[in-house]
């Protein structure tokens, strides 16, 4: 599990603690064949995490994610995209086929924006770490195919397509802004209040407050793959862009954009992640035997 920044902060505040049992049960079944699972198991000997306050996961989905990743991320909220069919078509209490031809297997998950590591449960002390990746690709078959697409130079090609179309670039920025807004809205009320409060670190030096502020900035304003959507509104001081309103940052990671695209709610108000859509079209064309 990757994050663009790992900032740790120990805090003590009973009103901000999640009142859920410590995340442990599902981790007992970690598959030994996954290196990521082994690393997580070793880490669990020293650390215990609280689950996401909006966690919604069936036992069948847990088994599927264990097979895909080797562990179940503690801050998972739900499976946000599946192969072949919608969530409504999934049969309950049925095993999920995670092969490349499996129908209904997890493609992406939605992640809670904060990881909470238990330091002292009795005293309500936790390390909170920002996790800005709202949607995370889990299917190894799709991930491998997208890596091949990246090796064929499509990050650069997609970048050029965005830079050549000012109208498309503006919609691209709107997509980043909606991503950040959705992430901020996913926070629990107590976590949001904690990040916004100016005095929640009473009694400690300002460096701790700066950490909280940095966490808030990251969660509230970073778009897909860490893009700061506020850059759109900043003046182009060095005049390197002819039109600063359509500044286009690096596309970066196609995996992140695809996870977002597949997880988006298809509504009139949503600005579709166009890079994710292009990636989807390439997957269909280049990998016809892969059920996505």
């Amino acid at each position: 599990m990757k994050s663009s920044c790992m900032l740790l902060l120990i805090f003590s505040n009973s009103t901000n603690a999640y009142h859920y049992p410590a995340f442990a049960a599902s981790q007992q079944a970690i598959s030994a064949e996954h290196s990521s699972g082994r690393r997580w198991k070793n880490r669990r000997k020293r650390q215990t995490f609280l689950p996401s306050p909006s966690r919604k996961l069936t036992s069948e989905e847990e088994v599927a994610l264990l097979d895909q990743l080797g562990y179940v991320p503690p801050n998972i909220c739900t499976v946000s995209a599946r192969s072949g069919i919608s969530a409504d078509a999934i049969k309950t209490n049925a095993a999920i086929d995670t092969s490349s031809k499996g129908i209904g297997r997890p493609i992406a998950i939605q992640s809670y924006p904060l990881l909470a590591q238990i330091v002292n449960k009795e005293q309500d002390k936790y390390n909170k770490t920002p996790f800005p990746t709202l949607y995370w690709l889990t299917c190894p078959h799709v991930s491998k195919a997208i890596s091949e697409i990246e090796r064929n130079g499509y990050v650069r090609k997609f970048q050029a397509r965005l830079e050549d179309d000012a109208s498309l670039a503006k919609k691209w920025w709107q997509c980043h802004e909606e991503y950040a807004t959705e992430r901020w809205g996913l926070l629990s009320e107590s976590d949001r209040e904690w990040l916004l409060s100016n005095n929640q670190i009473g009694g400690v030096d300002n460096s701790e407050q700066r950490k909280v502020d940095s966490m808030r900035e990251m969660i509230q304003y970073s778009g897909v793959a860490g893009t700061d959507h506020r850059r759109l509104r900043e003046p182009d001081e060095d005049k390197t862009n002819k039109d600063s309103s359509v500044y286009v940052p690096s596309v970066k990671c196609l995996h992140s954009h695809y996870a977002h695209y597949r997880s988006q709610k298809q509504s009139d108000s949503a600005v579709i992640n166009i890079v994710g859509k292009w990636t989807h079209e390439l997957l269909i064309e280049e990998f016809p035997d892969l059920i996505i």
Side-chain angles (χ1 to χ4, degrees):
M1 184 161 37
K2 296 182 179 179
S3 174
S4 59
C5 182
M6 297 294 284
L7 295 174
L8 296 180
L9 176 67
I10 298 178
F11 73 98
S12 177
N13 189 327
S14 59
T15 61
N16 288 323
Y18 303 148
H19 298 291
Y20 288 77
F23 181 74
S26 65
Q27 303 307 319
Q28 302 303 317
I30 291 172
S31 172
E33 66 187 51
H34 290 276
S35 60
S36 59
R38 289 195 299 271
R39 288 194 299 271
W40 174 260
K41 189 172 183 179
N42 290 333
R43 190 181 180 191
R44 279 275 295 119
K45 293 177 181 178
R46 304 183 302 273
Q47 299 174 336
T48 304
F49 294 87
L50 292 174
S52 158
S54 52
R55 180 183 171 95
K56 185 179 180 182
L57 203 65
T58 68
S59 59
E60 292 75 25
E61 289 169 336
E62 285 192 0
V63 171
L65 289 170
L66 281 167
D67 186 55
Q68 290 182 328
L69 301 172
Y71 67 102
V72 178
N75 63 326
I76 184 174
C77 295
T78 188
V79 174
S80 57
R82 305 168 186 275
S83 61
I85 56 178
S86 67
D88 295 336
I90 293 292
K91 294 181 180 179
T92 57
N93 301 320
I96 299 173
D97 180 1
T98 57
S99 71
S100 62
K101 296 184 181 298
I103 302 294
R105 72 183 186 279
I107 294 292
I109 60 173
Q110 184 186 62
S111 303
Y112 193 70
L114 288 171
L115 274 169
Q117 176 198 345
I118 298 174
V119 176
N120 189 315
K121 189 174 182 180
E122 287 71 24
Q123 297 180 18
D124 282 326
K125 286 186 177 180
Y126 307 92
N127 278 345
K128 281 200 172 182
T129 306
F131 193 91
T133 305
L134 180 61
Y135 294 110
W136 182 26
L137 193 66
T138 63
C139 177
H141 311 294
V142 175
S143 180
K144 182 178 179 180
I146 292 177
S147 293
E148 184 66 26
I149 289 173
E150 289 182 332
R151 280 192 292 271
N152 290 334
Y154 277 94
V155 172
R156 183 180 66 255
K157 293 175 183 178
F158 291 163
Q159 182 79 29
R161 288 169 72 174
L162 288 168
E163 291 175 350
D164 289 342
D165 190 329
S167 174
L168 200 59
K170 289 181 180 179
K171 289 183 179 180
W172 173 241
W173 274 109
Q174 287 179 304
C175 174
H176 281 289
E177 186 169 6
E178 288 191 3
Y179 185 93
T181 300
E182 183 180 3
R183 184 204 296 114
W184 184 252
L186 185 62
L187 287 168
S188 67
E189 184 177 353
S190 60
D191 277 334
R192 199 157 42 240
E193 289 177 352
W194 175 70
L195 287 168
L196 288 171
S197 175
N198 291 321
N199 58 2
Q200 74 272 37
I201 313 290
V204 298
D205 61 58
N206 289 335
S207 65
E208 297 301 321
Q209 182 61 56
R210 286 194 295 271
K211 288 181 182 180
V212 178
D213 291 341
S214 180
M215 291 170 70
R216 178 185 57 77
E217 290 271 317
M218 183 186 301
I219 293 172
Q220 193 170 11
Y221 296 116
S222 62
V224 187
T227 299
D228 189 339
H229 70 74
R230 293 172 301 175
R231 177 68 182 270
L232 173 64
R233 298 173 181 80
E234 293 178 357
D236 185 16
E237 296 178 356
D238 59 8
K239 305 300 180 184
T240 55
N241 294 305
K242 294 180 180 179
D243 183 357
S244 63
S245 66
V246 291
Y247 166 83
V248 181
S250 173
V251 169
K252 296 181 181 179
C253 177
L254 298 187
H255 298 77
S256 294
H257 293 296
Y258 188 66
H260 179 218
Y261 168 71
R262 288 297 303 272
S263 302
Q264 284 182 301
K265 295 178 180 178
Q266 305 296 311
S267 65
D268 294 336
S269 60
V271 179
I272 297 302
N273 187 319
I274 189 62
V275 170
K277 183 175 185 292
W278 292 338
T279 302
H280 186 69
E281 292 168 349
L282 272 176
L283 286 170
I284 293 174
E285 179 182 346
E286 300 292 335
F287 301 89
D289 294 332
L290 178 61
I291 294 179
I292 56 176

